[in-house]
C-alpha cells in the first residue's frame, strides 16, 4: 500500500506538469484502477490517478465475472464507482470488458443440467449482458473493449478456441459489436488483444479487423494492450502495426501498457502460462538497480516518442495500474515476484520512467 506522505513527497519532487496536462491535445493518458482502489481502500493510488490521468479503466471490476457472477444478478457497485470517480475528476470512463474467455462465468455457456448451451442460448446471454451493461452507462462510458483476445497465438490456428467461439461460432465477434452499438450508438467500440502489434500475430489481427469492416460491423478502434518488456517487442514492428491498423481507418488505443523488467520465457498476457518461482527469476526483491531503472526509462521514452509520432491515429494510452506494488506482473507468470513495470514506485513516487515520459510529452 502506498503511504500518504510518500504521495505528498512525489508532488513536491517535481516541477513537471501532471501527465494529463503534458499530453493535452495529443491523446488521452489513462490508468487502470484496482478492486481496492474502487472500494475506496487505496486513497494514495486514487490521488495519483486523479492528478495525472484523464482516462480510467477498471482493472477487473467491469469484467463479466464481476458484474454478473450469477445469471440475472448484476453487481454494479465498483463499476458505478469507476464511472463516478472518472466523471468527478474530468477523466473519461473506459469500459473493460464485455466478451472475453477469462473471468467469464461458466453459466454463459452451460445449461442447468450441465450440458453445453446451444448457440441461441449463448448468444441471447451475451446480448443481454452487453445490453444491460452498456445500456446502464450509455453516454457516460465513452469507449468499450467489446471483444478481448479472440485471436489464437498458435501458428496454424486463426481464432482462439474459447467457449464463445465453440458455442456461437466466429460470428460471436460481430454480434458483440452490434449489441454494444445498439445499446450506445455513440460509444467507441474496440477490439482489444495482446501481441497483435508483433509480426507473428499482426496478419491475423488485420484479417479480423478487415473482415469486420467489410461486414459493416460497428467497430471504431483496435486496442494494442502493450504488455511489454525491456527487450521485446521490437518497436519497429510495433510502429509498423500502428501504421497498418491506422490505414484501415481505425483508431489505435494502447489499452494496458506496462514494461516488465523481470526475466520470463513468456511474452504478452496469456494468463494460462505459469512458471515456478526461483531466485534467478526474482532478482530485484529489495530494489531495482539504477542501470535497470535507466534502461526501463529509456524504453518508455522510445515508446512514447513512437506514440507521439502517431498521435493522429492514437486516441489513448493507458497504463495497466497506478504503481508497481499493485501491478498484475508481480504475480505473472510467476506468483510472488517483485516487478517494476509502471511509472510510479511502491511508495507512489515518480520513477525515472515517469520523467522520461513527461519529457517525451514536452518534446525534450
Ligand atoms: O490485471 C488483471 C489482473 O488483476 C487479473 O487477475 C487478470 C485476470 O484475468 O486480468 C488482468 O488484466 C488483464 C486484462 O483484463 C486483459 N488483458 C491482460 C491483462 C493482464 O492479464
Amino acid at each position: 500500500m502506498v503511504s500518504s506522505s510518500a504521495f505528498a513527497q512525489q508532488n513536491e519532487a517535481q516541477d513537471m506538469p501532471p501527465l494529463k496536462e503534458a499530453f493535452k491535445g495529443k491523446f488521452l493518458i489513462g490508468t487502470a484502477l484496482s478492486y481496492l482502489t474502487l472500494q475506496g481502500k487505496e486513497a494514495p493510488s486514487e490521488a495519483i490517478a486523479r492528478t495525472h490521468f484523464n482516462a480510467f479503466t477498471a482493472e477487473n471490476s467491469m469484467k463479466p465475472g464481476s458484474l454478473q457472477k450469477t445469471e440475472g444478478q448484476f453487481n454494479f457497485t465498483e463499476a458505478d464507482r469507476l464511472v463516478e470517480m472518472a466523471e468527478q475528476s474530468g477523466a473519461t470512463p473506459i469500459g473493460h470488458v464485455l466478451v472475453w474467455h477469462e473471468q467469464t462465468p461458466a453459466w454463459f455457456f452451460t445449461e442447468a443440467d450441465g450440458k453445453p448451451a446451444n448457440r441461441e442460448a449463448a448468444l441471447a446471454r451475451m446480448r443481454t449482458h452487453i445490453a444491460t451493461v452498456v445500456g446502464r452507462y450509455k453516454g457516460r462510458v465513452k469507449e468499450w473493449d467489446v471483444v478481448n483476445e479472440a485471436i489464437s497465438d498458435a501458428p496454424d490456428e486463426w481464432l482462439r478456441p474459447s467457449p464463445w467461439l465453440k458455442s456461437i461460432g466466429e460470428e460471436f465477434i460481430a454480434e458483440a459489436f452490434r449489441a454494444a452499438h445498439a445499446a450506445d450508438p455513440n460509444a467507441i467500440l474496440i477490439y482489444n488483444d495482446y501481441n497483435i502489434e508483433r509480426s507473428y500475430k499482426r496478419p491475423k489481427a488485420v484479417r479480423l479487423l478487415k473482415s469486420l469492416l467489410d461486414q459493416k460491423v460497428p467497430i471504431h478502434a483496435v486496442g494494442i494492450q502493450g504488455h511489454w518488456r525491456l527487450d521485446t517487442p521490437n518497436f519497429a514492428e510495433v510502429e509498423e502495426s500502428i501504421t497498418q491498423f491506422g490505414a484501415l481507418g481505425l483508431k489505435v488505443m494502447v489499452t494496458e501498457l506496462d514494461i516488465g523488467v523481470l526475466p520470463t520465457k513468456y511474452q504478452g498476457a496469456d494468463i494460462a502460462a505459469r512458471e515456478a518461482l526461483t531466485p534467478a527469476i526474482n532478482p530485484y526483491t529489495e530494489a531495482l538497480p539504477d542501470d535497470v531503472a535507466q534502461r526501463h526509462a529509456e524504453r518508455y521514452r522510445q515508446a512514447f516518442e513512437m506514440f507521439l509520432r502517431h498521435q493522429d491515429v492514437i486516441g489513448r494510452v493507458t497504463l495497466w495500474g497506478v504503481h508497481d506494488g499493485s501491478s498484475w506482473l508481480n504475480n505473472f507468470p510467476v506468483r510472488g515476484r517483485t516487478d517494476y513495470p509502471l511509472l510510479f514506485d511502491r511508495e507512489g513516487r515518480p520513477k525515472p520512467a515517469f520523467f522520461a515520459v513527461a519529457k517525451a510529452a514536452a518534446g525534450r
Side-chain angles (χ1 to χ4, degrees):
M1 171 101 51
V2 175
S3 69
S4 311
S5 64
F7 175 67
Q9 263 173 26
Q10 69 107 12
N11 261 349
E12 292 159 11
Q14 52 186 291
D15 56 359
M16 299 224 166
L19 291 178
K20 62 185 180 189
E21 297 302 325
F23 285 100
K24 208 170 226 152
K26 299 180 166 93
F27 40 70
L28 293 176
I29 181 88
T31 189
L33 301 182
S34 66
Y35 285 126
L36 284 177
T37 305
L38 293 174
Q39 289 162 2
K41 295 176 183 160
E42 262 265 25
S45 290
E46 184 180 330
I48 294 172
R50 289 183 189 273
T51 302
H52 286 284
F53 297 99
N54 56 13
F56 294 174
T57 306
E59 184 179 0
N60 287 297
S61 303
M62 292 171 95
K63 292 171 177 173
S66 299
L67 292 182
Q68 197 185 181
K69 199 167 176 208
T70 306
E71 185 165 15
Q73 292 176 24
F74 287 84
N75 180 348
F76 287 114
T77 311
E78 289 166 22
D80 285 355
R81 189 77 194 110
L82 183 277
V83 177
E84 284 157 14
M85 215 185 257
E87 287 174 344
Q88 283 164 8
S89 347
T92 301
I94 310 293
H96 173 84
V97 52
L98 298 170
V99 175
W100 191 23
H101 62 283
E102 296 282 345
Q103 288 175 296
T104 302
W107 65 257
F108 274 98
F109 321 102
T110 323
E111 292 312 319
D113 61 6
K115 296 217 175 84
N118 67 37
R119 183 176 191 277
E120 286 316 306
L123 194 52
R125 288 171 186 159
M126 184 182 88
R127 287 183 177 137
T128 301
H129 182 79
I130 293 176
T132 309
V133 174
V134 177
R136 180 179 183 90
Y137 302 111
K138 183 178 178 187
R140 298 176 73 198
V141 169
K142 309 288 184 197
E143 303 178 14
W144 277 102
D145 289 335
V146 178
V147 175
N148 202 30
E149 303 173 6
I151 296 171
S152 170
D153 288 305
D156 50 358
E157 191 172 58
W158 155 228
L159 297 175
R160 179 188 297 276
S162 71
W164 287 117
L165 184 73
K166 287 181 188 154
S167 56
I168 300 177
E170 201 172 316
E171 302 77 43
F172 86 88
I173 302 172
E175 290 298 333
F177 279 91
R178 292 190 185 109
H181 188 63
D184 187 351
N186 292 320
I188 293 175
L189 304 182
I190 305 170
Y191 174 76
N192 191 49
D193 211 333
Y194 64 83
N195 288 4
I196 50 172
E197 69 280 21
R198 298 184 194 223
S199 38
Y200 84 92
K201 219 163 160 182
R202 182 207 297 137
K204 294 184 194 178
V206 169
R207 172 179 162 191
L208 174 64
L209 299 167
K210 266 194 179 149
S211 131
L212 295 171
L213 291 165
D214 287 349
Q215 297 170 68
K216 306 261 182 289
V217 170
I219 175 173
H220 311 107
V222 52
I224 292 175
Q225 291 186 359
H227 295 296
W228 294 341
R229 317 194 46 72
L230 286 182
D231 46 358
T232 63
N234 173 341
F235 283 162
E237 248 177 69
V238 177
E239 189 149 17
E240 174 61 21
S241 302
I242 295 171
T243 304
Q244 288 195 24
F245 295 151
L248 296 172
L250 294 168
K251 279 269 171 204
V252 175
M253 310 295 183
V254 180
T255 52
E256 307 180 12
L257 182 63
D258 45 29
I259 299 182
V261 302
L262 298 181
T264 176
K265 40 186 188 193
Y266 295 104
Q267 305 298 336
D270 182 353
I271 54 178
R274 292 272 166 203
E275 279 176 58
L277 180 59
T278 59
I281 58 169
N282 191 22
Y284 313 126
T285 50
E286 297 304 318
L288 189 63
D290 279 350
D291 60 320
V292 186
Q294 292 309 325
R295 279 175 63 206
H296 185 248
E298 172 60 15
R299 195 70 180 140
Y300 262 106
R301 184 185 66 75
Q302 289 173 8
F304 274 82
E305 285 182 356
M306 170 173 65
F307 302 150
L308 288 162
R309 282 196 292 279
H310 296 276
Q311 55 185 274
D312 53 332
V313 295
I314 293 183
R316 166 170 58 92
V317 177
T318 287
L319 278 294
W320 202 239
V322 174
H323 66 87
D324 287 342
S326 64
S327 169
W328 73 292
L329 285 171
N330 294 309
N331 291 307
F332 174 86
V334 185
R335 260 186 208 293
R337 295 202 295 181
T338 307
D339 207 340
Y340 299 81
L342 295 166
L343 305 183
F344 295 89
D345 71 13
R346 287 172 165 73
E347 293 298 310
R349 290 176 301 231
K351 295 163 56 182
F354 168 90
F355 293 104
V357 168
K359 283 185 191 156
R364 284 197 272 148

